[in-house]
Amino acid sequence: MIRDCHGEPLPLYAQGFVSECVPVVGAVPFGSVYSLKVLVSTGAKFTAKGAVCGGEPAAGQFYMLHALRSDVLLGRPISVYNSRQLSASDSRELYGTEKYAGAIELTFLILLKGKGTRELCSLDFGDLVNLIGPCGNRFPFPSSSDKKVCIVGGGIGVAPVAGFAQTLPPKSYDFFASFKSGSYGLENLNADKVIITTDDGSVGVHGMLPAALTAESLRQGNYDALYACGPTPMLAYVQKICREAGVRSYLSMEAHMACGVGVCLGCVIDTTEGKKRCCKDGPVFDGSILLFNPVTEVAGIKVQPRREALAEGEKPDLSVNIAGVHFANPVIGSSGTFGFGTEYESLFDVNRLGGISSKGLTLEARQGNDGIRLHETPAGLMNSIGLQNPGIPHFIKEELPQMLALKPVTIANLSGSSLETYVEGAKLLDKTEVPMIELNISCPNVSAGGAAFGMTCTGAAQAVQAVRAVTKKPLLVKLTPQSHELEKVVLSCIEAGADGISLCNSFQGIAIDIERGVPVFDKLKAGFGGPAVRPIAVRLVYEVVEAINKLPEEKRVPVIAIGGIATWEDAVEFIMAGASAVQVGTNTFANPYTMIEVIDGLEAFMKRKGYHNIEEMRGLIQK
């Protein structure tokens, strides 16, 4: 067990409050890096012991930060940039009261990167933060025989090494900082030399770290040791030149982690001594034992070579062709979550969408299920609507003309309670101008029909074949993820005449009202969708596309992915897994702009990565 100099075991768990959260001046673009200050009361049994103890610096250690108001599951490991214990005068000057005297002020520099860091960077004064820390080991203090050391920081990696530098005697070190653009985090240095490199030449030496630091410059600097933190490629380079120059190195690594205390074993680093835990055995390692193996493939899939971004003013082509129908982009409003499209017209420009799949339609009008119909869960929504809809004749007369007046491709989602009702409904739709039918044999919330047809190869083929016989319109088949032979069901649908596959409809779940001791839903089971199902849906789409790709090329059909899409990144995942288009459902309820943000984000991603069209990135992870 690790203990501080007062005998207290480390790390500790406590709660602090945000005293400041502001963008860091000098970071480019502005707002990409934030300074977060968290105040922790010594009354919380969380003192400066871990920050500065008996003169031994804690530089290099980190804390697991998790905002009390949070939408993410895990805390984020953030290195300490600075720490101090407030005096009575500090407390009075900062807060107009002495009640925070003795409290610890921890300062973190945070790169705005993903959802977790975005959340931390958006905190306000007084917001509460849970902390676990200090975690990990520390940069070893230079020995008495070390005359001069070299410190290297790359990007946000400047934070921990700059904090370490502040604990060293003045002028006892040279500091190299490398950024893509701009510079930050260097204001408290007292180095002999500060050398800055920027990829765009905006500050200091034009270029990345090798433009200023080489094995030869290490020799000329007569350094006894080097301390570094930054991107992995930079650390691999630093290790290489240190070996060439015969200089000891201590490198601070990073890895995805869940616990921060050595339990989850998710943050291991490859070394000559086996796999080491970044959070417990590190994050600071003796550079001589680290193994930097370049990643050229993952799970048998080669890492994509870097592509040049599209030229200024050049726009990627987001259009897709599905069963001969042209879609302006691959983003479709999913059936059951978007009504008939017109309901959202006052909220955003629905004409920007690629397509809209109508509310599930049956031959006869339906009132749907009784009892509770919606139940929210963490990262998801359960529903038991029961296909309430006005019926196909009413749809053809009233809602269809309104849908056809919109720019997105209209898709009529056809359901039924029996084979006969499916067929009769298809006959009516075939006489209209609707460009595409989505055959829904996957609804989990009806007693008859629905998912019963989509569970088996025989049932699915029978339904598709019967509908195919009465309509020439392009026919998508919407399938359930509940089938134990999903890939075979898909192939049966294709053989029976499906022009495309929509996958996947809601998963089934059960919710219990623990106060009353009864199920939440009258039908016991209900459909479940939302972000929580996405990784499973991605797997199913991948496996289905893999199976389809084994067919002769002329028999292959496109797959439209459904399942927990909340961001453009989610859409890209499905497309790289092999989907030709995506349907967005549950998240529209949480954020009506979801589909617009997906379209805009997809376009920006394609421009940045150099993809001219959707097909260039579709199925990239298919072997």
Side-chain angles (χ1 to χ4, degrees):
M1 179 180 292
I2 300 175
R3 295 180 182 272
D4 65 17
C5 61
H6 299 278
E8 292 286 347
L10 296 177
L12 300 174
Y13 178 67
Q15 193 172 85
F17 76 87
V18 174
S19 60
E20 182 181 84
C21 185
V22 295
V24 172
V25 175
V28 178
F30 183 74
S32 59
V33 178
Y34 276 72
S35 171
L36 175 67
K37 292 185 178 180
V38 179
L39 204 62
V40 186
S41 169
T42 52
K45 197 186 176 185
F46 191 87
T47 70
K49 305 167 191 174
V52 177
C53 191
E56 184 181 357
Q61 292 184 298
F62 65 92
Y63 290 79
M64 299 295 292
L65 303 184
H66 196 240
L68 198 64
R69 56 175 181 91
S70 175
D71 288 327
V72 298
L73 175 65
L74 304 175
R76 295 301 191 263
I78 309 293
S79 297
V80 179
Y81 174 59
N82 197 13
S83 64
R84 62 170 177 162
Q85 189 166 23
L86 299 185
S87 64
S89 60
D90 291 330
S91 178
R92 190 168 54 250
E93 179 184 346
L94 292 171
Y95 306 106
T97 175
E98 294 185 2
K99 74 175 184 177
Y100 298 116
I104 306 304
E105 180 188 76
L106 298 168
T107 303
F108 306 92
L109 298 188
I110 302 176
L111 174 66
L112 201 159
K113 191 174 183 180
K115 188 175 182 180
T117 52
R118 186 177 302 278
E119 190 174 86
L120 292 173
C121 293
S122 64
L123 296 176
D124 296 320
F125 179 87
D127 282 341
L128 298 178
V129 178
N130 292 324
L131 305 94
I132 296 176
C135 299
N137 60 11
R138 308 163 180 178
F139 282 114
F141 205 73
S143 67
S144 57
S145 61
D146 289 339
K147 297 177 183 178
K148 197 170 189 179
V149 298
C150 177
I151 300 178
V152 181
I156 198 65
V158 159
V161 288
F164 172 60
Q166 294 172 49
T167 69
L168 301 180
K171 309 298 182 181
S172 66
Y173 61 92
D174 288 342
F175 198 100
F176 290 79
S178 183
F179 303 92
K180 288 185 177 179
S181 183
S183 68
Y184 56 87
L186 311 177
E187 57 273 9
N188 297 321
L189 298 180
N190 198 345
D192 188 26
K193 296 178 183 177
V194 176
I195 300 94
I196 301 172
T197 74
T198 51
D199 195 24
D200 64 357
S202 55
V203 180
V205 179
H206 190 174
M208 297 306 289
L209 186 64
L213 187 64
T214 63
E216 182 58 29
S217 57
L218 283 178
R219 296 188 192 96
Q220 292 177 356
N222 202 26
Y223 301 117
D224 296 294
L226 181 147
Y227 302 81
C229 183
T232 300
M234 186 201 85
L235 295 180
Y237 170 75
V238 167
Q239 181 198 58
K240 175 178 176 291
I241 62 174
C242 283
R243 282 177 174 169
E244 292 175 7
V247 176
R248 297 193 321 274
S249 65
Y250 301 97
L251 309 181
S252 179
M253 303 291 289
E254 67 174 7
H256 295 292
M257 59 184 68
C259 67
V261 298
V263 172
C264 72
L265 302 178
C267 63
V268 295
I269 300 291
D270 288 326
T271 77
T272 57
E273 300 171 0
K275 292 185 182 295
K276 298 281 188 178
R277 297 166 297 178
C278 189
C279 69
K280 194 77 171 180
D281 305 311
V284 179
F285 294 90
D286 182 332
S288 66
I289 71 167
L290 292 172
L291 297 175
F292 291 102
N293 299 315
V295 177
T296 58
E297 64 176 50
V298 178
I301 310 296
K302 290 185 178 180
V303 174
Q304 292 295 307
R306 183 176 178 179
R307 304 168 64 106
E308 291 295 325
L310 298 188
E312 187 71 26
E314 185 180 3
K315 285 191 173 184
D317 180 7
L318 268 65
S319 68
V320 294
N321 185 297
I322 298 176
V325 179
H326 176 83
F327 289 72
N329 61 68
V331 181
I332 301 167
S334 187
S335 174
T337 65
F338 207 63
F340 300 103
T342 54
E343 295 89 339
Y344 276 96
E345 274 191 297
S346 63
L347 299 183
F348 68 91
D349 184 6
V350 299
N351 285 314
R352 291 195 58 198
L353 305 183
I356 299 172
S357 184
S358 75
K359 181 72 185 77
L361 302 165
T362 53
L363 185 61
E364 73 290 350
R366 285 194 181 186
Q367 292 300 306
N369 293 335
D370 294 326
I372 291 174
R373 290 186 170 193
L374 295 175
H375 179 72
E376 187 176 0
T377 71
L381 182 69
M382 299 183 73
N383 79 88
S384 182
I385 308 301
L387 283 176
Q388 179 176 334
N389 75 96
I392 291 175
H394 187 281
F395 167 75
I396 291 173
K397 181 180 178 182
E398 301 293 340
E399 288 84 13
L400 180 56
Q402 298 176 46
M403 289 189 74
L404 292 174
L406 300 173
K407 291 182 180 179
V409 174
T410 297
I411 304 171
N413 184 276
L414 170 64
S415 193
S417 55
S418 66
L419 201 57
E420 291 73 26
T421 57
Y422 273 114
V423 169
E424 292 305 313
K427 286 180 179 178
L428 293 178
L429 291 173
D430 188 62
K431 297 175 184 177
T432 71
E433 295 181 9
V434 70
M436 181 173 281
I437 295 173
E438 184 175 52
L439 178 61
N440 184 351
I441 53 174
S442 54
C443 180
N445 300 314
V446 292
S447 299
F453 283 107
M455 291 293 287
T456 66
C457 296
T458 302
Q462 187 180 25
V464 174
Q465 201 167 31
V467 171
R468 177 80 288 168
V470 297
T471 179
K472 291 184 170 59
K473 291 186 181 294
L475 185 64
L476 305 177
V477 180
K478 188 171 185 177
L479 294 174
T480 173
Q482 304 300 131
S483 173
H484 296 300
E485 48 180 6
L486 181 58
E487 293 169 40
K488 292 181 180 178
V489 168
V490 168
L491 298 179
S492 296
C493 290
I494 295 173
E495 188 65 30
D499 297 306
I501 301 295
S502 295
L503 186 73
C504 46
N505 206 329
S506 299
F507 292 72
Q508 274 197 331
I510 294 176
I512 298 173
D513 182 335
I514 62 173
E515 295 297 331
R516 296 190 298 154
V518 296
V520 168
F521 297 103
D522 281 12
K523 288 187 175 294
L524 181 62
K525 298 178 183 179
F528 174 58
V533 309
R534 181 176 50 80
I536 304 172
V538 171
R539 174 182 65 82
L540 294 176
V541 167
Y542 171 85
E543 290 173 349
V544 163
V545 172
E546 186 178 40
I548 291 173
N549 285 345
K550 293 176 182 177
L551 295 174
E553 190 169 351
E554 66 275 9
K555 289 190 175 183
R556 297 174 193 172
V557 302
V559 172
I560 299 176
I562 315 168
I565 295 170
T567 67
W568 65 263
E569 292 95 334
D570 300 339
V572 171
E573 274 199 70
F574 276 112
I575 293 169
M576 287 187 173
S580 295
V582 297
Q583 289 189 19
V584 177
T586 303
N587 212 71
T588 299
F589 301 143
N591 173 16
Y593 293 157
T594 297
M595 284 186 279
I596 299 301
E597 292 172 359
V598 168
I599 294 168
D600 291 342
L602 185 57
E603 180 177 3
F605 173 78
M606 292 173 67
K607 288 180 66 174
R608 175 168 62 85
K609 299 292 285 186
Y611 294 115
H612 295 84
N613 53 62
I614 296 294
E615 200 60 28
E616 285 187 354
M617 64 176 179
R618 190 182 70 82
L620 279 181
I621 71 160
Q622 290 288 335
K623 296 180 182 179

